[in-house]
Amino acid sequence: MLSVIIPSYNEEQNIRNTAEVISQVLDGSGIDFELIFPDDGSRDNTWREIVLAHEKDPRVSGLRFSRNFGKESAIWAGLEATSGDCAVVIDCDLQHPPKVIPEMYKMWQNGAEVVEGKKSSRGKESGIYKAFSKLFYKLIASASGIDMADTSDFKLLDRKVIDAILSMQERTTFFRALSGWVGFKSESITYDVEERAYGERKWTPKMLIKYAVRNLMAFTSVPLYISGFLGGVISVISVVLFILKCCGVGLGSFGGSQILLLLTGGLILICLSIIGRYLAQIYEEIKRRPKYIISDQIKSQGGSHDR
């Protein structure tokens, strides 16, 4: 059986349409499935729509969070709720095309344990957003050796991959990177990003920056090495200024030592800020609070899987 995880936040306009579209695609391909909607503390009628979708099709299930815990937690909750032999994660707005799922399922049947959905086009995104995404994934790739260019949360995972991911103990997770880090036999399939079926984009620039910083620090320690790099830069500048001074080159009324002091002070603050971010993340981890809290739940009447 295939489990389809559909993280949802303020998606009241999309729930029923998404459930119907995915169900039609999978029924048409003869695939036994269940649909799991983790409701990430929505403020609208998303949960009510999930309940109605369940009443219409008992293969639909839902998890309602007590508050908004974030998409990563919603994906994690969906993975823990799966009962299928494999699972697909897909966005509720259908920008990830459901018509690709049967192809991913066939690749899984042929031996693939991870099927990565890769964007052949990014849809209507601004140049700044594309540049920011490219930089972010380059940093992740340089730190982990995992090529995440054009990847997304749209992917299929075999049961053994799901269990491997769920066995990890960290609280701050980055699903898109972890699914590649665990290894296993991986294949990819390309897709075009579709227009949202209903509603508007939920991610603001501030949310994207916060999400990027969180995941970058959760998955790599590279930012910590920036302090060493900046220290090297300061050393080089110091040597250059010393040589210029010895050669009698005038540095104006504002001496090289003053410039260096200002530069050093600024870089020290930057380094302290980076270290502070990691300390805050360590603090969050050692508290061992749950990734999410479920306030309500409805279960599907799909098949079961012994685990």
Side-chain angles (χ1 to χ4, degrees):
M1 185 177 73
L2 171 67
S3 299
V4 183
I5 302 167
I6 314 166
S8 308
Y9 177 66
N10 292 345
E11 296 285 2
E12 63 179 356
Q13 293 177 295
N14 284 309
I15 298 297
R16 273 187 279 184
N17 177 66
T18 297
E20 290 173 4
V21 170
I22 296 177
S23 297
Q24 288 172 5
V25 169
L26 297 181
D27 280 333
S29 299
I31 299 174
D32 185 25
F33 68 92
E34 64 175 351
L35 303 183
I36 304 171
F37 285 92
D39 177 7
D40 186 21
S42 297
R43 299 175 182 176
D44 59 5
N45 291 317
T46 294
W47 180 248
R48 179 174 177 274
E49 292 297 324
I50 293 172
V51 172
L52 292 174
H54 170 75
E55 292 174 354
K56 184 176 181 180
D57 186 343
R59 294 173 297 185
V60 173
S61 66
L63 306 167
R64 188 183 191 184
F65 287 0
S66 60
R67 65 170 178 82
N68 178 247
F69 284 89
K71 186 179 181 181
E72 291 294 323
S73 294
I75 292 175
W76 197 273
L79 291 173
E80 290 188 322
T82 58
S83 56
D85 302 290
C86 59
V88 165
V89 177
I90 185 171
D91 283 354
C92 190
D93 57 17
L94 297 185
Q95 287 193 295
H96 298 154
K99 64 184 178 182
V100 177
I101 297 178
E103 298 177 52
M104 300 172 84
Y105 189 78
K106 287 180 183 178
M107 294 170 74
W108 170 74
Q109 289 179 314
N110 291 330
E113 294 168 322
V114 177
V115 181
E116 295 275 358
K118 292 200 171 185
K119 303 171 184 177
S120 56
S121 68
R122 300 190 65 93
K124 294 181 179 180
E125 291 180 351
S126 66
I128 295 176
Y129 183 89
K130 290 178 181 178
F132 183 77
S133 296
K134 190 174 182 180
L135 174 62
F136 172 69
Y137 290 125
K138 273 191 174 181
L139 290 172
I140 289 289
S142 64
S144 64
I146 301 172
D147 181 13
M148 295 183 61
D150 300 318
T151 60
S152 66
D153 293 326
F154 186 33
K155 57 191 67 186
L156 180 146
L157 306 176
D158 182 82
R159 167 54 57 186
K160 66 175 71 173
V161 182
I162 296 171
D163 290 341
I165 292 174
L166 293 178
S167 69
M168 298 179 186
Q169 299 298 312
E170 64 257 43
R171 180 181 180 277
T172 305
T173 56
F174 184 21
F175 170 71
R176 199 173 301 183
L178 285 178
S179 59
W181 181 87
V182 294
F184 296 99
K185 184 179 179 182
S186 178
E187 295 184 20
S188 62
I189 187 170
T190 58
Y191 69 93
D192 292 322
V193 177
E194 304 286 347
E195 292 295 316
R196 282 183 62 92
Y198 300 98
E200 298 178 352
R201 185 183 179 89
K202 304 297 188 300
W203 291 90
T204 64
K206 181 180 178 181
M207 291 169 64
L208 287 169
I209 292 173
K210 185 178 179 181
Y211 179 76
V213 171
R214 170 192 180 278
N215 290 327
L216 187 63
M217 291 191 164
F219 203 74
T220 174
S221 57
V222 167
L224 284 173
Y225 300 120
I226 292 177
S227 57
F229 171 76
L230 294 178
V233 170
I234 293 174
S235 298
V236 171
I237 294 174
S238 300
V239 171
V240 171
L241 290 174
F242 177 75
I243 292 173
L244 291 175
K245 191 73 173 177
C246 291
C247 293
V249 177
L251 298 175
S253 59
F254 196 66
S257 59
Q258 293 170 300
I259 297 173
L260 191 59
L261 281 173
L262 287 175
L263 182 61
T264 303
L267 294 179
I268 288 174
L269 290 175
I270 291 173
C271 295
L272 287 175
S273 175
I274 293 172
I275 294 170
R277 290 285 303 182
Y278 274 98
L279 286 174
Q281 197 135 315
I282 293 171
Y283 176 62
E284 289 297 322
E285 288 288 340
I286 63 175
K287 286 191 291 188
R288 308 305 299 166
R289 288 178 181 172
K291 294 181 179 69
Y292 58 87
I293 298 172
I294 295 176
S295 65
D296 205 349
Q297 182 175 2
I298 48 175
K299 296 184 178 181
S300 70
Q301 294 179 15
S304 61
H305 186 93
D306 295 329
R307 296 177 60 185

